[in-house]
Amino acid sequence: MKNDMKTILLDRETIKKRVREMGQEITRDYQGEVPLLICILKGSVVFYADLVREIDLPVRFEFMTASSYGSATVSSGEVKIVSELDNKIAGRHVILVEDIVDSGRTIAYIKNDMLKKGVKSLKVCALLDKPDRRVTDVQADYCGFVIPDEFVVGYGLDYDQKYRNFPDIGVLKSEVYEK
Ligand code: PRP
């Protein structure tokens, strides 16, 4: 997989250190509470698994699937909720966990939906933020890294469902997706 990368943007040690800091920040902010962390599948699963183990609080797990890219490298602009939550979220402190906020459409759509369901509080925790591509005014409350407008894969992020298990975050060579 490494041969398909133009550069490694964030290596696993850098990611690990930052995820630990993010977990510590959430631990401080939610003292005495039991936050419900929602993993937005599939891209967030690797980040989620590491983040929850850096939070020193009781937490609840939830998973939902949203999709906006299909097999393209650019968002289609249409967000689909493919699978919904199993349990009620009304009255809970909810943290949406995302791998990346790009156009911001996915998180804006989900936030809007959650707010209608009567959550007690709602925050967004994103590992990556690509502000150059934003078309909505959403911001992550917890942000791991601000990155340039390049197509990144690894640590959960895919190109056509591949590279999700690459342990670092790399910039894919353009010839890989131009083939
Ligand atoms: C990716 C990513 C975010 C979203 C960000 O998901 O995981 O959910 O796109 O893009 P946006 O800010 O432009 O909406 P994708 O739809 O590719 O599904 P995946 O998580 O299953 O890879």
Side-chain angles (χ1 to χ4, degrees):
M1 286 188 281
K2 200 169 181 183
N3 288 340
D4 291 345
M5 306 296 159
K6 188 168 78 178
T7 52
I8 299 298
L9 192 66
L10 300 162
D11 64 40
R12 63 201 81 178
E13 288 308 319
T14 307
I15 298 169
K16 190 176 181 183
K17 184 168 173 279
R18 185 69 188 119
V19 172
R20 175 162 296 164
E21 289 168 358
M22 294 173 87
Q24 288 167 346
E25 211 181 321
I26 291 171
T27 303
R28 279 196 300 274
D29 291 354
Y30 288 85
Q31 280 299 309
E33 306 292 348
V34 184
L36 184 149
L37 281 91
I38 303 180
C39 176
I40 315 293
L41 296 168
K42 309 185 188 82
S44 303
V45 71
V46 179
F47 173 45
Y48 187 88
D50 284 345
L51 178 72
V52 292
R53 287 177 289 173
E54 298 294 352
I55 299 174
D56 188 14
L57 293 172
V59 301
R60 283 174 176 254
F61 282 21
E62 279 292 341
F63 299 86
M64 69 188 290
T65 305
S67 189
S68 66
Y69 275 66
S71 61
T73 56
V74 178
S75 172
S76 63
E78 188 193 339
V79 180
K80 286 194 192 113
I81 303 296
V82 183
S83 81
E84 267 291 355
L85 298 170
D86 293 339
N87 297 299
K88 289 207 173 71
I89 58 166
R92 297 225 170 260
H93 292 289
V94 172
I95 305 175
L96 298 174
V97 180
E98 262 289 23
D99 49 343
I100 185 165
V101 182
D102 193 331
S103 71
R105 285 192 184 102
T106 304
I107 215 68
Y109 184 92
I110 296 173
K111 263 185 101 169
N112 196 29
D113 191 51
M114 298 274 151
L115 289 169
K116 286 188 218 150
K117 291 179 174 156
V119 295
K120 200 166 183 182
S121 71
L122 182 61
K123 285 194 180 176
V124 174
C125 177
L127 181 67
L128 306 176
D129 181 8
K130 219 191 249 185
D132 294 350
R133 295 180 48 88
R134 197 77 91 256
V135 299
T136 64
D137 61 2
V138 290
Q139 292 297 336
D141 301 281
Y142 302 97
C143 170
F145 304 93
V146 175
I147 61 164
D149 184 12
E150 296 208 76
F151 193 72
V152 291
V153 295
Y155 198 72
L157 291 105
D158 73 309
Y159 165 61
D160 204 10
Q161 302 303 325
K162 295 191 282 280
Y163 309 103
R164 292 197 195 273
N165 58 329
F166 186 62
D168 307 310
I169 293 176
V171 178
L172 204 56
K173 285 179 184 163
S174 56
E175 56 259 40
V176 175
Y177 51 83
E178 280 165 3
K179 260 189 246 171

